[in-house]
Amino acid sequence: MSKQQSVKLTDYVGFDTIAAQIGKKIFKKGLNFNIMLVGESGSGKTTLVNTIFSKNFLESSGRKQAAEKSRKTTEILITTSVLTESNAKVRLTVIDTPGFGEQINNENCWVPLVKYIKDQHVAYLENEIKPERERVIPDTRVHVCLYFLNSGYRGLRQIDIEVLKRLCEVVNVVPVLSKADTLTVDEKMKVKEKVREAIELHRINIYPQPNPQDDQAEIELNNKVKKVMPFAVVGSNLTYEEDGEIIKGRKNPWGIINIENKDHCDFVLMRDFLLRTHLIDLVEVTSYKYYESFRTEQLQHIRDMRGAQPAQTTQQAQQTQQAQQVQPTQPTQQAQSANPFSIAIPAQQAKSPSFTKPSVQSSRKYISNALSK
Amino acid sequence: MAVTTYEESATNSPSVYSQYVRPSSHRYKNAKKGLPFNVMLVGPSGLGRRTFLNTLCERAIVIPDDGENAETTKLPEAMKIQHYTVDIEEDGMRILLNVIDTPGFGDSIDNSDNFKEIQDYLEYQFDEVLEEENRIKRNPKFRDGRVHALLYFITPTGHSLREIDIELMRRLGSRVNVIPIIGRADSMTVDELKKFKKRIMQDIDFYRIPVYMFPTVDDDDEETIEENNELRASLPFAVVGCEEVVEKDNRPVRARLYPWGAVEVDNEEHSDFDRLRYVLLNSHIGDLREITQNMLYENYRTEKLSLEDNDDEDKETSSQASSN
């Protein structure tokens, strides 16, 4: 029988350096931070990310030449950069989605987005349950999705509602009102109100969501942030001089917009939110909420399959990209009902290899299952 | 398609705000009866179409979308066609301005039907005129609904034209004078605007999109040619719309107030609105009407009648064949 007691120390012992120790270990391991940008071309996605990190390291994916063809579908464009700030190193992956919402008919434009997000969960799970797995599992899971709203529209469009609903099921979503320099103070307030109303009405669970483990300070901070959301931002890395001060912003014939001025836009609030206060939380929530529910679903599915057919090992669909033993031709009658993983339980089967990567076909299947709910 | 009409019968006094003082040789003499002028506004919501209309007429003709009710966003936003009739006095000339708005264009997830609806509307106006012309006893009160200009609002992305932009202007350019406009142009700096305009015109050239290019004829005088060249070079017009009036240097000025400055609608350096207004309601109103009547309508008429001719011929040959 173990008993637990709470002890208040009187002398300084020194284990409050835990935070620094953990920090050091994390940075040694390497922190991955993966941001997905969703919004129509020209909504300011690339500029905003460049502004957040104060460096033009990303290139816009928009169509800039007459001879360039318009994209016919939503594409996934990944850029990974290693960012260093004092002794901290972050591996930042930006997932751009050119082509989103740009067609005349935008039905199903969200499918490639959800698929990409789920594929990362698949890859992570696959690595996690390997009998011999790496010390650090490469984390490509999307930690936050910035959804760019059209600042001219008063509220949410039909496409926004459809996409936001689906994205919020699989990833942390932060809505952003970019190019907010065309909204007067009044208009900004009205647009934000309308957007918040629509989000509530359609029950879209944007980040941050209340968490029973939050303490009072965290709850307060979250409430403060929620009052400002969606962030009305302006992006720019250009600087101008005004009254002897260097201003980062945009210059027009009628004035200079200072993006770091809280009266001009919410850029500073958003940047601090993403990087200075909620970065780790975004990573954690991705892990314990979205990834965890995916994992539970998958493993439950496997268990059910095993329960249904105890004698057979789970078979894999035809296409396999197996680095280990070559799988002899498997009977395909189970291909349709097979779950994405074919996991050999060492105790039952010595012959077949540990498992195979889920084929593209099967991962689409579970997405279509999820979408049809 | 649902068409609603709103009538405004009061006459507008001449513009208080317009700073456009360039004299123009395109004058129209139809002062008393009022010159009918039909303009269509097309573009996705949020680009200031309705504000533009109010700014153009210098009073609140329509209440700009202050945000649909959150509830109504549940329903698919089908495109509607709405009419607004305004009496305008411009430079001693009376204009019966008929504005056709198309709220809902491009706002649905699937917008493939939008083009056809607009095209049908345009062609229907032509059909009405065709029918009227062929009547033995004509209707003296016949209202010519042919659209003389279509203002197409382009989203200020900073990149190039989107697929929907190219498709629309291409499809409708043969039925109406399309004038491309950049809506909410105050979202761009001077530099960005210059580059954006250039890219759009490159796209228009590359895809051979028929837009109204301020054409000149050989016997036009130098001044006219120069004027048109200048206007062509300013395409697409960068528009900012606003109804609020503020005071600047003891003058009433229409401006959008931001914490960092005020965008003056009628200031040439801030927006092309004034220029566009002058073109539409003054200098080029005649040309736009002429082209619609003498070229676009005539082409349509020829197409339609030769189709019918072919049909008749086919019927003849087939009846001949069957009788042989």
Side-chain angles (χ1 to χ4, degrees):
Chain A
M1 280 279 282
S2 62
K3 97 178 162 163
Q4 189 166 303
Q5 56 183 6
S6 135
V7 178
K8 196 114 194 225
L9 303 176
T10 43
D11 284 337
Y12 176 68
V13 176
F15 61 75
D16 60 354
T17 57
I18 283 178
Q21 292 180 38
I22 292 177
K24 209 165 156 200
K25 290 264 176 188
I26 287 183
F27 284 120
K28 240 189 185 171
K29 261 202 297 186
L31 180 67
N32 278 9
F33 192 50
N34 309 319
I35 305 179
M36 183 182 248
L37 308 172
V38 178
E40 286 175 22
S41 171
S43 42
K45 307 189 289 287
T46 309
T47 308
L48 186 65
V49 174
N50 284 340
T51 312
I52 291 175
F53 293 99
S54 228
K55 194 148 190 147
N56 292 341
F57 69 104
L58 273 189
E59 261 179 50
S60 167
S61 57
R63 191 172 84 87
K64 291 240 174 78
Q65 301 229 320
E68 236 182 280
K69 298 241 161 173
S70 314
R71 293 174 207 256
K72 290 295 168 196
T73 180
T74 310
E75 294 175 17
I76 302 280
L77 206 66
I78 302 168
T79 315
T80 305
S81 333
V82 177
L83 309 175
T84 322
E85 187 168 58
S86 48
N87 61 343
K89 212 194 295 189
V90 165
R91 215 163 157 263
L92 176 79
T93 299
V94 176
I95 301 125
D96 197 358
T97 55
F100 172 80
E102 268 165 42
Q103 324 307 327
I104 294 171
N105 182 352
N106 288 309
E107 269 172 3
N108 299 323
C109 59
W110 54 81
V111 169
L113 306 177
V114 174
K115 178 182 187 308
Y116 178 83
I117 294 170
K118 288 210 163 179
D119 280 350
Q120 308 319 304
H121 288 326
V122 165
Y124 195 88
L125 180 59
E126 184 186 308
N127 277 323
E128 197 190 42
I129 58 181
K130 267 189 196 158
E132 279 175 26
R133 60 185 181 175
E134 301 165 42
R135 203 172 83 107
V136 177
I137 299 172
D139 189 1
T140 58
R141 299 170 298 187
V142 180
H143 300 125
V144 65
C145 175
L146 296 180
Y147 189 83
F148 286 70
L149 294 170
N150 184 335
S151 67
Y153 197 81
R154 308 282 193 253
L156 292 183
R157 299 172 302 163
Q158 207 191 355
I159 188 175
D160 296 330
I161 297 170
E162 293 296 310
V163 178
L164 281 172
K165 270 192 181 158
R166 291 182 165 85
L167 285 177
C168 285
E169 288 174 359
V170 292
V171 69
N172 293 315
V173 177
V174 173
V176 167
L177 272 178
S178 69
K179 297 200 174 184
D181 53 349
T182 54
L183 293 173
T184 61
V185 173
D186 265 344
E187 290 168 348
K188 211 188 290 187
M189 219 173 56
K190 285 196 190 127
V191 171
K192 283 191 181 189
E193 241 179 73
K194 289 281 171 190
V195 169
R196 284 197 289 258
E197 257 178 48
I199 285 178
E200 216 186 285
L201 180 79
H202 296 276
R203 286 193 270 269
I204 299 170
N205 292 330
I206 55 167
Y207 177 88
Q209 284 292 296
N211 179 0
Q213 288 184 358
D214 280 340
D215 60 39
Q216 192 58 34
E218 284 170 327
I219 295 177
E220 265 175 41
L221 179 60
N222 280 351
N223 285 341
K224 193 169 140 206
V225 161
K226 282 197 157 164
K227 285 211 180 88
V228 181
M229 274 185 158
F231 296 111
V233 295
V234 177
S236 172
N237 276 332
L238 296 170
T239 50
Y240 300 97
E241 208 189 295
E242 194 180 52
D243 302 330
E245 262 185 68
I246 306 274
I247 293 183
K248 196 165 156 192
R250 290 168 62 73
K251 185 171 185 191
N252 281 308
W254 49 87
I256 301 182
I257 302 160
N258 181 355
I259 61 169
E260 285 168 339
N261 180 340
K262 292 197 180 141
D263 292 328
H264 287 193
C265 74
D266 303 330
F267 172 75
V268 171
L269 282 167
M270 191 199 73
R271 181 204 52 204
D272 291 353
F273 171 77
L274 278 183
L275 298 185
R276 297 184 192 178
T277 54
H278 286 72
L279 186 122
I280 294 294
D281 192 52
L282 286 166
V283 175
E284 271 195 15
V285 171
T286 306
S287 179
Y288 74 62
K289 186 174 164 192
Y290 296 108
Y291 171 69
E292 204 56 35
S293 64
F294 166 82
R295 184 180 182 279
T296 308
E297 193 192 301
Q298 291 305 308
L299 297 184
Q300 192 66 49
H301 192 47
I302 293 169
R303 196 179 290 178
D304 292 343
M305 300 244 35
R306 259 203 292 146
Q309 284 140 354
Q312 267 174 327
T313 52
T314 48
Q315 311 276 5
Q316 172 63 0
Q318 288 112 318
Q319 302 116 317
T320 59
Q321 296 145 37
Q322 180 56 271
Q324 298 163 0
Q325 299 173 18
V326 173
Q327 191 79 283
T329 45
Q330 299 288 328
T332 56
Q333 86 279 41
Q334 274 197 300
Q336 284 316 302
S337 56
N339 53 301
F341 301 98
S342 161
I343 299 165
I345 315 303
Q348 289 182 353
Q349 257 293 358
K351 270 193 195 165
S352 38
S354 33
F355 60 73
T356 46
K357 253 196 206 167
S359 66
V360 170
Q361 209 177 28
S362 37
S363 42
R364 253 196 221 124
K365 196 185 78 65
Y366 65 74
I367 289 175
S368 62
N369 279 345
L371 290 181
S372 58
K373 276 181 202 156
Chain B
M1 72 203 131
V3 177
T4 39
T5 308
Y6 303 84
E7 295 265 353
E8 287 264 346
S9 52
T11 311
N12 254 22
S13 40
S15 173
V16 187
Y17 308 107
S18 178
Q19 296 173 56
Y20 215 89
V21 286
R22 202 145 6 148
S24 175
S25 41
H26 306 271
R27 296 237 167 201
Y28 233 86
K29 292 178 187 152
N30 221 329
K32 271 200 200 147
K33 233 171 54 171
L35 190 64
F37 191 54
N38 306 322
V39 176
M40 194 179 224
L41 305 177
V42 180
S45 300
L47 285 185
R49 250 176 22 252
R50 296 184 179 188
T51 308
F52 172 79
L53 171 56
N54 291 341
T55 315
L56 188 71
C57 302
E58 289 172 19
R59 70 173 190 280
I61 307 291
V62 58
I63 299 169
D65 246 339
D66 225 9
E68 271 109 42
N69 247 328
E71 283 95 49
T72 59
T73 358
K74 260 195 180 155
L75 311 162
E77 293 139 359
M79 191 180 82
K80 295 189 285 257
I81 295 194
Q82 284 174 343
H83 283 236
Y84 303 90
T85 313
V86 189
D87 234 319
I88 290 194
E89 199 193 301
E90 171 72 20
D91 232 351
M93 178 169 62
R94 187 169 163 230
I95 300 174
L96 297 170
L97 181 66
N98 181 25
V99 177
I100 305 126
D101 192 17
T102 55
F105 173 83
D107 287 340
S108 310
I109 293 183
D110 183 358
N111 301 302
S112 343
D113 289 334
N114 291 170
F115 306 122
K116 184 143 197 315
E117 270 189 66
I118 299 178
Q119 188 171 345
D120 285 348
Y121 179 85
L122 296 173
E123 291 180 354
Y124 178 71
Q125 305 308 318
F126 284 163
D127 285 337
E128 290 271 274
V129 172
L130 194 58
E131 209 184 288
E132 179 64 22
E133 275 182 356
N134 292 339
R135 278 216 181 101
I136 301 172
K137 198 169 177 200
R138 295 215 187 137
N139 176 6
K141 289 211 185 122
F142 177 73
R143 248 185 176 185
D144 182 1
R146 291 175 294 189
V147 179
H148 302 117
L150 188 148
L151 304 182
Y152 183 68
F153 285 71
I154 296 172
T155 314
T157 60
H159 296 168
S160 298
L161 288 178
R162 301 174 305 155
E163 202 191 333
I164 193 173
D165 302 330
I166 297 173
E167 246 339 271
L168 178 113
M169 292 196 281
R170 234 195 199 160
R171 288 224 216 167
L172 302 182
S174 57
R175 296 289 180 239
V176 67
N177 294 309
V178 174
I179 302 180
I181 293 193
I182 300 172
R184 300 183 93 225
D186 55 350
S187 86
M188 299 188 138
T189 62
V190 171
D191 227 16
E192 290 168 350
L193 197 57
K194 219 190 287 183
K195 290 190 186 140
F196 188 48
K197 283 190 179 188
K198 190 164 166 214
R199 286 201 196 105
I200 292 180
M201 294 318 283
Q202 277 172 356
D203 265 352
I204 285 179
D205 187 44
F206 187 84
Y207 291 100
R208 284 194 266 271
I209 299 171
V211 300
Y212 181 69
M213 280 292 207
F214 298 94
T216 48
V217 281
D218 287 330
D219 52 355
D220 271 340
D221 56 82
E222 281 259 350
E223 207 189 305
T224 314
I225 296 180
E226 209 187 288
E227 198 188 322
N228 279 328
N229 287 344
E230 245 188 81
L231 287 169
R232 200 177 308 127
S234 340
L235 277 177
F237 294 113
V239 163
V240 178
C242 165
E243 301 163 68
E244 280 89 45
V245 183
V246 295
E247 225 190 70
K248 184 191 172 194
D249 303 331
N250 294 321
R251 264 195 308 127
V253 159
R254 291 187 295 188
R256 282 176 63 73
L257 288 178
Y258 294 116
W260 47 85
V263 182
E264 296 165 41
V265 168
D266 302 292
N267 184 336
E268 227 179 32
E269 286 170 24
H270 292 188
S271 106
D272 295 330
F273 173 80
D274 209 26
R275 192 175 272 198
L276 173 63
R277 183 188 185 285
Y278 193 75
V279 158
L280 268 188
L281 301 181
N282 200 317
S283 60
H284 287 71
I285 188 171
D287 199 31
L288 290 165
R289 284 173 47 97
E290 244 180 74
I291 292 184
T292 307
Q293 287 162 352
N294 301 346
M295 196 181 94
L296 300 169
Y297 168 70
E298 289 301 319
N299 285 346
Y300 177 77
R301 187 175 173 277
T302 311
E303 266 177 52
K304 188 142 192 226
L305 294 181
S306 47
L307 261 180
E308 287 175 10
D309 262 355
N310 285 343
D311 281 346
D312 291 338
E313 271 176 33
D314 287 340
K315 282 190 198 143
E316 269 183 45
T317 46
S318 62
S319 63
Q320 272 181 3
S322 57
S323 64
N324 281 356

